[in-house]
Amino acid sequence: MDHPGTHRGNGAGFAPPVGASAIEAHGLGKQYRRGWALRDVSFRLPAGRVCGLVGPNGAGKSTLMGLATNMIRPTTGSLRVFGAAAGSTESVLRTAFLTQEKPLFGRFTVAETLRLGRELNPRWDQEVAEGIVHAGRVPLKARIGTLSGGQRTRVAFALAFGKRPDLLILDEPMSDLDPLVRRELMATLTAEAAEHGTTVLVSSHMLAELEHICDYLLVVADGGLRLAGEVNELRAAHALLDIPGGGSLPAVAPHTVIEPHHDEGRPGVLVRLGAPITSGGPVTPPTLEELLLAYLRAPDAPSLIAPSARVGDIHDIIARDRQKAVTV
Amino acid sequence: MTTLTHDPAHTAPAGRPQHAPGSRLAGPRLGGTAWLVWRQHRAAFWTLIALTLLCVAVMVLLRGQVVDHLDAHPQKSGGLPPDFEKYTVRLFSFGGYLGYVPLLTGVLLGAPLIAGDLESGTAKLVTSQSVSRLRWLTTKLALPAALITLSTAVLAAVFNWWWSPVKARSDTLEWTSGAFFDVTGVMPVAYALMTFAVGVAAGMLLRRTLVSMVVTLGIVVAIGVVWDRFRLDLGNLVSVSTDKGVGPGAARPKLPAGAVQQGEGTYFLTSSGARLDWTTCLDKIDNDRAHTACLEAKHVIGWSIDYLPISQMHTMQWLGAGIMLAVAAAIVTFIIVWGRKRLL
């Protein structure tokens, strides 16, 4: 039996060093009876980011989250959380997970739900948790079963943040909430994450909303990773060319056409830039939503993993060497 | 049991008032997973405790009546006073009701224990906290198991106390009956723990509360049927014989007090030591002379009866309990191994 209590001394002093990885996956794969849910996925999520996880239903998002929280064991490869194996005491202590259903004990009061967090988490921060609950004016004595969807989600958030995680994983946290509550909780999420330097991995179908909170992105489709990297990095690597769709024009030549773009707003072709833009035509970087939609519609597009999201890339080596130099 | 001890690491940071909202019902002060398990299942636990106390109260009351009646009608022969039947019937039926305790612990405590968490998703809630799955599962099993042990042990002791004044004095209250054998001594503890484990395992595999309750009901009833058939095989039959003939004047073998006759009635014992069953020469029973001749031709010298002495009851109960506890331990091992790997 492990004793998480012995780690108490580390407390909030777990601030991730700059350049460290919150998640590092190597050749990660998960096979179910019906086939591969996730196959050969390698990436790293730098610490301190708020990362959106996007993909069509059944693309492997929940599997990836389950693997990161040790709810699911990988068939191949490995996943590390802050350098510790998923499921190890350290990674469990540093990770909080909010599943899509946000299960809570319906007969518990809010106060009892927070006590659950206190009893089961050695790093528990009652003030943070109560603060989140109070901000939504959720009465502590109310039973969970009598709360509205938004209030329940808020309590679930409180439970997740009260754990003082360094990595917070949220699976479709807002899917069943009305827009006002969603906006309110979104603000809570970003504020808390910013205040504590929490790395957040959040899956969502609300593409427009991800744009407000995410600075990092993972896109999965068909069990594979399509896009990974900083939002700005990824956006800058693509362009919406204001040319009629067709793709055979010489202006497109060095670029990779991801999708002939026929959206309501702006017509054009979404391309991944292969060279500096030379033509005089109007070029705009796509919004995050446009970029995501294009990749979701074109599952066969070649994947793009930005350098910061590659495992074992130069950042890691520099970070490691820097640490070595300090210790030597 | 380490899970029940209070782990200082799980208390709130110093300076914060420790008013526990869950302890309004004056529940035991528990920490960590023990608090969670108690809080989650406290309605069931309180019901178990209340029912136990109620049964104890009823049994104490009824025993008082038995003792009063015996004191009021002292019998020289060591038998029971006349019109005592209503007291023995009560004793026998109450023992029969107590025989349903394993069914209740399996269906109402065991089956929903983990199935409920899997069904509502709260298993994910708990396992995404900092405690290990092993620790949660252990507490989840240990706390109800401890309560079941306590409750059934108390019920068994009180029932035995009620039974003791008439134990060796009644011909109709056979200790081999499930109404006594299964509800006294160590038997009910082992039986209830086994059915509890069966229920938990069924719930873990089926993941649905209602389905697992129904399946547990079926399994426990099946166990009961099998157990009823083989319970007495745990004992060693003892024989008592006579060798003074089988004529009308000859004495039948006498069973000691509290013994329960087994086998197919009274056997005929031959001079070679072989035994013939009671149907021997039955066709000549109408004619005394022919009957005697028939029996003599078969060298019958007396009667023989098989029985189980009450002194074996303890050994048999421990043997049966041992088997049940072994089964329970195997199921619990399976629950832990499977639960650590495959739960969720």
PDB file of all heavy atoms in Angstrom, chain A residues 13 27 62 76 95 109 150 156 161 171 187-188 206 223 225 227 230 243 247 252 254 270 272-273 278 289 320:
ATOM      1  N   GLY A  13       5.228  23.225  -3.983  1.00  0.00           N
ATOM      2  CA  GLY A  13       6.530  23.558  -4.523  1.00  0.00           C
ATOM      3  C   GLY A  13       6.903  22.775  -5.752  1.00  0.00           C
ATOM      4  O   GLY A  13       8.058  22.653  -6.114  1.00  0.00           O
ATOM      5  N   GLY A  27       5.333   6.371 -28.852  1.00  0.00           N
ATOM      6  CA  GLY A  27       4.765   5.223 -29.563  1.00  0.00           C
ATOM      7  C   GLY A  27       3.539   4.650 -28.898  1.00  0.00           C
ATOM      8  O   GLY A  27       3.308   3.444 -28.889  1.00  0.00           O
ATOM      9  N   SER A  62     -10.701  10.364 -25.753  1.00  0.00           N
ATOM     10  CA  SER A  62     -10.933   9.845 -24.411  1.00  0.00           C
ATOM     11  C   SER A  62      -9.921   8.763 -24.066  1.00  0.00           C
ATOM     12  O   SER A  62      -9.487   8.650 -22.918  1.00  0.00           O
ATOM     13  CB  SER A  62     -12.353   9.287 -24.299  1.00  0.00           C
ATOM     14  OG  SER A  62     -13.277  10.336 -24.405  1.00  0.00           O
ATOM     15  N   THR A  76       0.705  -0.570 -26.479  1.00  0.00           N
ATOM     16  CA  THR A  76       2.107  -0.377 -26.863  1.00  0.00           C
ATOM     17  C   THR A  76       2.568   0.981 -26.352  1.00  0.00           C
ATOM     18  O   THR A  76       1.755   1.849 -26.055  1.00  0.00           O
ATOM     19  CB  THR A  76       2.269  -0.382 -28.403  1.00  0.00           C
ATOM     20  OG1 THR A  76       1.518   0.723 -28.930  1.00  0.00           O
ATOM     21  CG2 THR A  76       1.770  -1.670 -29.017  1.00  0.00           C
ATOM     22  N   THR A  95      -1.769  14.744 -11.016  1.00  0.00           N
ATOM     23  CA  THR A  95      -2.754  14.811 -12.089  1.00  0.00           C
ATOM     24  C   THR A  95      -4.166  14.815 -11.523  1.00  0.00           C
ATOM     25  O   THR A  95      -4.490  14.036 -10.630  1.00  0.00           O
ATOM     26  CB  THR A  95      -2.609  13.576 -13.004  1.00  0.00           C
ATOM     27  OG1 THR A  95      -1.233  13.400 -13.302  1.00  0.00           O
ATOM     28  CG2 THR A  95      -3.382  13.770 -14.289  1.00  0.00           C
ATOM     29  N   THR A 109     -23.455  16.004   0.319  1.00  0.00           N
ATOM     30  CA  THR A 109     -23.593  17.449   0.195  1.00  0.00           C
ATOM     31  C   THR A 109     -22.329  17.977  -0.474  1.00  0.00           C
ATOM     32  O   THR A 109     -21.337  17.261  -0.632  1.00  0.00           O
ATOM     33  CB  THR A 109     -23.746  18.108   1.574  1.00  0.00           C
ATOM     34  OG1 THR A 109     -22.548  17.876   2.304  1.00  0.00           O
ATOM     35  CG2 THR A 109     -24.933  17.535   2.324  1.00  0.00           C
ATOM     36  N   GLY A 150     -24.734  23.230 -14.167  1.00  0.00           N
ATOM     37  CA  GLY A 150     -23.612  24.150 -14.024  1.00  0.00           C
ATOM     38  C   GLY A 150     -23.001  24.093 -12.642  1.00  0.00           C
ATOM     39  O   GLY A 150     -21.784  24.105 -12.483  1.00  0.00           O
ATOM     40  N   ALA A 156     -17.408  19.856  -9.392  1.00  0.00           N
ATOM     41  CA  ALA A 156     -16.410  18.938  -9.939  1.00  0.00           C
ATOM     42  C   ALA A 156     -15.097  19.671 -10.213  1.00  0.00           C
ATOM     43  O   ALA A 156     -14.011  19.135  -9.967  1.00  0.00           O
ATOM     44  CB  ALA A 156     -16.937  18.302 -11.222  1.00  0.00           C
ATOM     45  N   PHE A 161      -9.515  21.155  -8.832  1.00  0.00           N
ATOM     46  CA  PHE A 161      -8.505  22.169  -8.504  1.00  0.00           C
ATOM     47  C   PHE A 161      -8.038  22.051  -7.062  1.00  0.00           C
ATOM     48  O   PHE A 161      -6.907  22.376  -6.754  1.00  0.00           O
ATOM     49  CB  PHE A 161      -9.053  23.572  -8.771  1.00  0.00           C
ATOM     50  CG  PHE A 161      -8.831  24.021 -10.178  1.00  0.00           C
ATOM     51  CD1 PHE A 161      -9.886  24.130 -11.063  1.00  0.00           C
ATOM     52  CD2 PHE A 161      -7.553  24.320 -10.623  1.00  0.00           C
ATOM     53  CE1 PHE A 161      -9.675  24.524 -12.365  1.00  0.00           C
ATOM     54  CE2 PHE A 161      -7.337  24.718 -11.931  1.00  0.00           C
ATOM     55  CZ  PHE A 161      -8.406  24.825 -12.806  1.00  0.00           C
ATOM     56  N   ASP A 171     -12.230  16.204 -19.769  1.00  0.00           N
ATOM     57  CA  ASP A 171     -12.830  15.568 -20.943  1.00  0.00           C
ATOM     58  C   ASP A 171     -14.190  16.204 -21.190  1.00  0.00           C
ATOM     59  O   ASP A 171     -15.111  16.006 -20.395  1.00  0.00           O
ATOM     60  CB  ASP A 171     -12.972  14.058 -20.688  1.00  0.00           C
ATOM     61  CG  ASP A 171     -13.270  13.300 -21.966  1.00  0.00           C
ATOM     62  OD1 ASP A 171     -13.416  13.948 -23.017  1.00  0.00           O
ATOM     63  OD2 ASP A 171     -13.364  12.060 -21.903  1.00  0.00           O
ATOM     64  N   ALA A 187     -13.879  31.012 -17.558  1.00  0.00           N
ATOM     65  CA  ALA A 187     -13.085  32.064 -16.920  1.00  0.00           C
ATOM     66  C   ALA A 187     -12.446  31.520 -15.642  1.00  0.00           C
ATOM     67  O   ALA A 187     -11.257  31.758 -15.380  1.00  0.00           O
ATOM     68  CB  ALA A 187     -13.978  33.262 -16.603  1.00  0.00           C
ATOM     69  N   THR A 188     -13.238  30.756 -14.867  1.00  0.00           N
ATOM     70  CA  THR A 188     -12.694  30.149 -13.652  1.00  0.00           C
ATOM     71  C   THR A 188     -11.509  29.259 -13.994  1.00  0.00           C
ATOM     72  O   THR A 188     -10.451  29.336 -13.375  1.00  0.00           O
ATOM     73  CB  THR A 188     -13.772  29.302 -12.963  1.00  0.00           C
ATOM     74  OG1 THR A 188     -14.911  30.126 -12.729  1.00  0.00           O
ATOM     75  CG2 THR A 188     -13.267  28.725 -11.661  1.00  0.00           C
ATOM     76  N   MET A 206     -16.228  22.493 -28.793  1.00  0.00           N
ATOM     77  CA  MET A 206     -16.532  23.914 -28.947  1.00  0.00           C
ATOM     78  C   MET A 206     -15.278  24.615 -29.458  1.00  0.00           C
ATOM     79  O   MET A 206     -14.495  25.159 -28.678  1.00  0.00           O
ATOM     80  CB  MET A 206     -16.947  24.511 -27.600  1.00  0.00           C
ATOM     81  CG  MET A 206     -17.898  23.634 -26.807  1.00  0.00           C
ATOM     82  SD  MET A 206     -19.576  23.860 -27.340  1.00  0.00           S
ATOM     83  CE  MET A 206     -20.417  22.631 -26.363  1.00  0.00           C
ATOM     84  N   GLY A 223      -7.346   7.687 -34.598  1.00  0.00           N
ATOM     85  CA  GLY A 223      -6.368   7.064 -33.724  1.00  0.00           C
ATOM     86  C   GLY A 223      -4.948   7.560 -33.913  1.00  0.00           C
ATOM     87  O   GLY A 223      -4.019   6.990 -33.344  1.00  0.00           O
ATOM     88  N   LEU A 225      -2.194  11.138 -34.426  1.00  0.00           N
ATOM     89  CA  LEU A 225      -2.031  12.557 -34.149  1.00  0.00           C
ATOM     90  C   LEU A 225      -1.917  13.305 -35.472  1.00  0.00           C
ATOM     91  O   LEU A 225      -1.094  12.967 -36.321  1.00  0.00           O
ATOM     92  CB  LEU A 225      -0.758  12.738 -33.311  1.00  0.00           C
ATOM     93  CG  LEU A 225      -0.607  14.011 -32.508  1.00  0.00           C
ATOM     94  CD1 LEU A 225      -1.774  14.191 -31.571  1.00  0.00           C
ATOM     95  CD2 LEU A 225       0.699  13.967 -31.738  1.00  0.00           C
ATOM     96  N   LEU A 227      -2.182  17.069 -35.681  1.00  0.00           N
ATOM     97  CA  LEU A 227      -1.542  18.355 -35.446  1.00  0.00           C
ATOM     98  C   LEU A 227      -1.109  18.405 -33.987  1.00  0.00           C
ATOM     99  O   LEU A 227      -1.820  17.928 -33.119  1.00  0.00           O
ATOM    100  CB  LEU A 227      -2.538  19.508 -35.646  1.00  0.00           C
ATOM    101  CG  LEU A 227      -2.836  20.055 -37.033  1.00  0.00           C
ATOM    102  CD1 LEU A 227      -3.859  21.162 -36.903  1.00  0.00           C
ATOM    103  CD2 LEU A 227      -1.577  20.574 -37.689  1.00  0.00           C
ATOM    104  N   GLU A 230       2.119  24.762 -30.659  1.00  0.00           N
ATOM    105  CA  GLU A 230       1.545  25.997 -30.173  1.00  0.00           C
ATOM    106  C   GLU A 230       0.515  26.511 -31.156  1.00  0.00           C
ATOM    107  O   GLU A 230       0.708  26.394 -32.373  1.00  0.00           O
ATOM    108  CB  GLU A 230       2.660  27.043 -30.064  1.00  0.00           C
ATOM    109  CG  GLU A 230       3.015  27.394 -28.646  1.00  0.00           C
ATOM    110  CD  GLU A 230       4.171  28.364 -28.649  1.00  0.00           C
ATOM    111  OE1 GLU A 230       3.922  29.566 -28.811  1.00  0.00           O
ATOM    112  OE2 GLU A 230       5.321  27.903 -28.525  1.00  0.00           O
ATOM    113  N   ILE A 243      -7.981  32.182 -53.357  1.00  0.00           N
ATOM    114  CA  ILE A 243      -8.070  31.750 -54.751  1.00  0.00           C
ATOM    115  C   ILE A 243      -9.173  30.722 -54.848  1.00  0.00           C
ATOM    116  O   ILE A 243      -9.443  30.014 -53.878  1.00  0.00           O
ATOM    117  CB  ILE A 243      -6.743  31.129 -55.258  1.00  0.00           C
ATOM    118  CG1 ILE A 243      -6.198  30.183 -54.174  1.00  0.00           C
ATOM    119  CG2 ILE A 243      -5.756  32.195 -55.631  1.00  0.00           C
ATOM    120  CD1 ILE A 243      -4.962  29.445 -54.589  1.00  0.00           C
ATOM    121  N   GLY A 247      -6.729  23.963 -56.663  1.00  0.00           N
ATOM    122  CA  GLY A 247      -5.462  23.478 -56.189  1.00  0.00           C
ATOM    123  C   GLY A 247      -4.396  23.314 -57.252  1.00  0.00           C
ATOM    124  O   GLY A 247      -3.250  23.068 -56.946  1.00  0.00           O
ATOM    125  N   VAL A 252      -0.112  27.801 -55.610  1.00  0.00           N
ATOM    126  CA  VAL A 252      -0.208  26.843 -54.511  1.00  0.00           C
ATOM    127  C   VAL A 252       0.992  25.902 -54.488  1.00  0.00           C
ATOM    128  O   VAL A 252       1.229  25.217 -53.503  1.00  0.00           O
ATOM    129  CB  VAL A 252      -1.533  26.056 -54.663  1.00  0.00           C
ATOM    130  CG1 VAL A 252      -1.778  25.146 -53.479  1.00  0.00           C
ATOM    131  CG2 VAL A 252      -2.699  27.013 -54.816  1.00  0.00           C
ATOM    132  N   PRO A 254       4.285  25.396 -53.916  1.00  0.00           N
ATOM    133  CA  PRO A 254       5.168  24.917 -52.828  1.00  0.00           C
ATOM    134  C   PRO A 254       4.403  24.506 -51.577  1.00  0.00           C
ATOM    135  O   PRO A 254       4.975  23.935 -50.667  1.00  0.00           O
ATOM    136  CB  PRO A 254       6.043  26.139 -52.534  1.00  0.00           C
ATOM    137  CG  PRO A 254       5.232  27.306 -52.979  1.00  0.00           C
ATOM    138  CD  PRO A 254       4.302  26.852 -54.049  1.00  0.00           C
ATOM    139  N   LEU A 270      -7.216  26.426 -47.849  1.00  0.00           N
ATOM    140  CA  LEU A 270      -6.348  26.386 -46.689  1.00  0.00           C
ATOM    141  C   LEU A 270      -5.130  25.537 -47.031  1.00  0.00           C
ATOM    142  O   LEU A 270      -5.252  24.380 -47.411  1.00  0.00           O
ATOM    143  CB  LEU A 270      -7.068  25.790 -45.484  1.00  0.00           C
ATOM    144  CG  LEU A 270      -6.262  25.986 -44.214  1.00  0.00           C
ATOM    145  CD1 LEU A 270      -6.991  26.930 -43.278  1.00  0.00           C
ATOM    146  CD2 LEU A 270      -5.947  24.688 -43.534  1.00  0.00           C
ATOM    147  N   ARG A 272      -0.955  24.430 -46.097  1.00  0.00           N
ATOM    148  CA  ARG A 272       0.167  24.453 -45.164  1.00  0.00           C
ATOM    149  C   ARG A 272       1.330  25.020 -45.948  1.00  0.00           C
ATOM    150  O   ARG A 272       1.659  24.523 -47.027  1.00  0.00           O
ATOM    151  CB  ARG A 272       0.490  23.059 -44.682  1.00  0.00           C
ATOM    152  CG  ARG A 272       1.623  23.053 -43.679  1.00  0.00           C
ATOM    153  CD  ARG A 272       2.057  21.662 -43.329  1.00  0.00           C
ATOM    154  NE  ARG A 272       0.974  20.901 -42.725  1.00  0.00           N
ATOM    155  CZ  ARG A 272       1.036  19.583 -42.522  1.00  0.00           C
ATOM    156  NH1 ARG A 272       2.092  18.912 -42.904  1.00  0.00           N
ATOM    157  NH2 ARG A 272       0.024  18.963 -41.975  1.00  0.00           N
ATOM    158  N   LEU A 273       1.932  26.041 -45.420  1.00  0.00           N
ATOM    159  CA  LEU A 273       2.967  26.750 -46.170  1.00  0.00           C
ATOM    160  C   LEU A 273       4.204  25.877 -46.323  1.00  0.00           C
ATOM    161  O   LEU A 273       4.677  25.267 -45.363  1.00  0.00           O
ATOM    162  CB  LEU A 273       3.315  28.050 -45.450  1.00  0.00           C
ATOM    163  CG  LEU A 273       2.150  29.042 -45.324  1.00  0.00           C
ATOM    164  CD1 LEU A 273       2.583  30.258 -44.533  1.00  0.00           C
ATOM    165  CD2 LEU A 273       1.639  29.431 -46.691  1.00  0.00           C
ATOM    166  N   THR A 278       5.069  34.315 -51.802  1.00  0.00           N
ATOM    167  CA  THR A 278       5.691  35.223 -52.754  1.00  0.00           C
ATOM    168  C   THR A 278       4.651  35.992 -53.546  1.00  0.00           C
ATOM    169  O   THR A 278       4.863  37.141 -53.913  1.00  0.00           O
ATOM    170  CB  THR A 278       6.589  34.455 -53.728  1.00  0.00           C
ATOM    171  OG1 THR A 278       5.876  33.286 -54.137  1.00  0.00           O
ATOM    172  CG2 THR A 278       7.879  34.046 -53.054  1.00  0.00           C
ATOM    173  N   GLU A 289     -10.314  28.077 -35.377  1.00  0.00           N
ATOM    174  CA  GLU A 289     -11.493  27.306 -35.757  1.00  0.00           C
ATOM    175  C   GLU A 289     -11.402  26.839 -37.201  1.00  0.00           C
ATOM    176  O   GLU A 289     -11.665  25.669 -37.509  1.00  0.00           O
ATOM    177  CB  GLU A 289     -12.752  28.145 -35.537  1.00  0.00           C
ATOM    178  CG  GLU A 289     -14.015  27.333 -35.648  1.00  0.00           C
ATOM    179  CD  GLU A 289     -15.247  28.138 -35.275  1.00  0.00           C
ATOM    180  OE1 GLU A 289     -15.107  29.332 -34.938  1.00  0.00           O
ATOM    181  OE2 GLU A 289     -16.341  27.568 -35.335  1.00  0.00           O
ATOM    182  N   ARG A 320      17.906  19.307 -20.549  1.00  0.00           N
ATOM    183  CA  ARG A 320      18.620  18.274 -19.800  1.00  0.00           C
ATOM    184  C   ARG A 320      20.063  18.726 -19.550  1.00  0.00           C
ATOM    185  O   ARG A 320      20.576  18.634 -18.445  1.00  0.00           O
ATOM    186  CB  ARG A 320      18.576  16.963 -20.572  1.00  0.00           C
ATOM    187  CG  ARG A 320      18.793  15.743 -19.706  1.00  0.00           C
ATOM    188  CD  ARG A 320      18.726  14.488 -20.536  1.00  0.00           C
ATOM    189  NE  ARG A 320      17.529  14.428 -21.362  1.00  0.00           N
ATOM    190  CZ  ARG A 320      17.507  13.962 -22.617  1.00  0.00           C
ATOM    191  NH1 ARG A 320      18.601  13.537 -23.183  1.00  0.00           N
ATOM    192  NH2 ARG A 320      16.386  13.932 -23.305  1.00  0.00           N
TER     193      ARG A 320
END
